Amino acid sequence: MPFRLLAPLGLLCLLLPLHRGAPGPDGSAPDPAHYRERVKAMFYHAYDSYLENAFPYDELRPLTCDGHDTWGSFSLTLIDALDTLLILGNVSEFQRVVEVLQDNLDFDIDVNASVFETNIRVVGGLLSAHLLSKKAGVEVEAGWPCAGPLLSMAEEAARKLLPAFQTPTGMPYGTVNLLHGVNPGETPVTCTAGIGTFIVEFATLSSLTGDPVFEDVARVALMRLWESRSDIGLVGNHIDVLTGKWVAQDAGIGAGVDSYFEYLVKGAILLQDKKLMAMFLEYNKAIRNYTRFDDWYLWVQMYKGTVSMPVFQSLEAYWPGLQSLIGDIDNAMRTFLNYYTVWKQFGGLPEFYNIPQGYTSSTQKHTPLTLLPCTVAGG
C-alpha cells in the first residue's frame, strides 16, 4: 500500500493564527505571546508534576500526588506528551523520552487493556510523535517515515489489538489481554465509539507499514455500525459485537458515541474518502432531525426518536468543532454559544447538564476532566 501524504495534520496549525488580533472580552486585542507562555507553563506544570510524583505509572492522581496504572501500565502520560514536547520545541526532552520508552515499553504483558484507549492514546500518540519528529529537527533513520522506533512501537501495540476484531460481525471487543488475546469470559457488549474509533490511526499505520490489515479491520467495523443503524438513521450507545443487536438504544452525540462521528469526518479528510464523509452527512441529517432542539442535542430512542435524556454532556463539546470542519459554521456558532453559557455558569463544563432545569444533574458528582496535578495536595 503506498504511503499517503498526511497533509490534514497541519490543518490545526494553519487555523490557529487566525485568532491573532481578535478582540478580547474587554475589547482590547490579546497578546498572543502572553497566551503562548501561559499554555506552556500549564503544560510543564502538569508534565513535571507527573515525572516527579507518578512516573513510571500511567497517570498522576492529583489529590494524593502519586501514580497509578489506568490503561495498561505503559507510562501513558509520557506517550501522550511526546508530540506536545515537539510542538513546544523541546527536542532534547523528546529524545530522552523516546529512549526511555525504547528501554522500558513492553506490550508482552498479562494485562487486560481497553482496545479503544490503547488505540487513541498509545498507537495514536506514538504515530503522532513519529510523523512530527523529522519536522522538529530530530535525526531520523533511513527509510523514514516508513521506518523508525516510534513506528515500530505503534505497530507492535496495534497488533496486540487485532484479536479483538475477530468476531462474527467484525466489530471489536472492548477489552483484550495483551498477552493472551480476548479472555473467554469477556463481555461482547461494546460502546459505539469503541467500535468506530480506529480508522485514523489504523489507516495511517497501514500506509506507513504497507500492511493493509489495520485499515481493513477498521473499515469493516465502521461498515458494520453503518449497516446497524435504525430505520430513522440513528445508532445506539452499546451493541453486542457477536450478534449485532443493540443493547443500549439511546442515540446522541455524547459519551459512548462521540468519537465515532469524529472519526468519520477526520478519516474522510485524512484519506480523502468521499464515502466516509457521505456516511457522516447522512448521520448529521438524522441527528438534526431527531436530536436537535434549540441548538442543543438531546438523547433520543434510536428507533422512535423520542427524547430519553434531555441533557448536555461535557463530552459533546467537540461537536461545534466537527461542524466547523464540514463547513457548517452557522450551526457551529449557535451550538458553541449554548455550551459557552454553561461554561460561564459554572466556570467549566459539568459532566451532565440538565437542559430544561438549567442546572447540573443531581446524580453526577464529578467531571471527567482531571485537576491540574498537585494543585491541592502539593501546592
Side-chain angles (χ1 to χ4, degrees), residues 340-350 352-354 358-361:
Y340 183 63
T341 60
V342 178
W343 183 284
K344 292 289 287 184
Q345 182 179 354
F346 298 101
L349 293 180
F352 274 52
Y353 177 82
N354 188 297
Y359 212 73
T360 57
S361 171

Side-chain angles (χ1 to χ4, degrees), residues 231-281:
D231 290 341
I232 61 174
L234 297 174
V235 289
N237 201 274
H238 285 75
I239 194 170
D240 188 313
V241 300
L242 299 182
T243 65
K245 294 182 179 180
W246 289 102
V247 176
Q249 297 181 2
D250 292 314
I253 62 171
V257 183
D258 48 5
S259 54
Y260 170 45
F261 297 136
E262 180 186 1
Y263 270 48
L264 284 175
V265 172
K266 293 182 177 178
I269 295 171
L270 180 70
L271 304 172
Q272 296 296 289
D273 189 314
K274 294 180 179 179
K275 186 173 183 178
L276 294 181
M277 184 61 75
M279 290 163 63
F280 173 78
L281 293 177

